[in-house]
Amino acid sequence: MHIMVGNWDDIRVALAVARTGTVSAAAEALGVHHATVIRRIDALEAQLQSRLFQRHPRGYALTDAGHALLKAATEADERFAQMAAQIAGAGDRIEGDLVITSLPQFAGMVMPALIGLMRLHPGLRLRYVTDARLFRLDAGEAHVAIRAGARPTEPDYVIRPMGTARQSLFAARAYLDAHGPVTDIAAHLFALPGPEAKGSPVMRWLTERVPAANLVMISNDPEAREAVIRAGLAIGMLAPDRAKGLVEVMCLPEWDSRLWLVTHVDLHRTPKVQAALAALRGSDTRAL
């Protein structure tokens, strides 16, 4: 017998009548009025064009068609229960795809934490995506987003503080030998990110003080900027883990940028998101 999803509420009522033997007992078990039970059984019999119950003073007895329905519906009910248990069990496991978005310069800080998470839960498949644009968690683009700057304000997002990103300017020794110490910021050459970083505290500070003619390179690629800095052609911002062999020439407290862990309320409490948040909140933001 074909169990139609659209009739499942009617079938559940029929199952209750078959198991209890009376309309009143089925109504009590389901928490509905006995008239609702009768109406649903009549509708199901009309839909199936077959009599499912033989009505008699002592209750409802199954016909042959009713026995066939009971068998098929019981099997379907058991499969649904089994499937629900499997889904619930899968939700409790820390495995499957985990999408985390961030800014490129934070990889040195977050990857040790994420590597530890992957070792602890080998069933995870990590997608770590870096981009200046804000990924839409409400559209399912990511499970966790690492954001910098002002506290995010999107509705239905859960925001947790992650720490503070320390921002510094670095230069090669060759640059300092050629141009002197960085005392007058407007007298030096820079390799800086483009419009995607204009909202950061350090970029706002530099934009107010550095002439446009002093920007020898603008790029959204941190590796490209690093190459120019290491070549001694300019000074610029780098993550400390990328600045080995360079000289830190300036770092101001007002350049610090707050970091936020952002999740969507619908996924925030899932085990794999909670595991990722715990790992990332343990990251050493001083590495920035």
Side-chain angles (χ1 to χ4, degrees), residues 249-265:
V249 295
M250 187 174 288
C251 179
L252 299 178
E254 58 262 41
W255 293 354
D256 290 349
S257 184
R258 295 292 304 276
L259 298 181
W260 307 97
L261 289 170
V262 186
T263 58
H264 192 272
V265 65

Side-chain angles (χ1 to χ4, degrees), residues 145-160:
I146 301 170
R147 294 189 182 175
R151 182 186 178 95
T153 59
E154 291 94 335
D156 297 327
Y157 282 15
V158 180
I159 316 299
R160 293 290 183 268

Side-chain angles (χ1 to χ4, degrees), residues 170-181 229-230 232 245-249:
F170 291 92
R173 176 55 61 187
Y175 175 90
L176 296 175
D177 291 342
H179 298 274
I229 294 167
R230 288 191 178 279
L246 298 174
V247 179
E248 185 181 64
V249 295

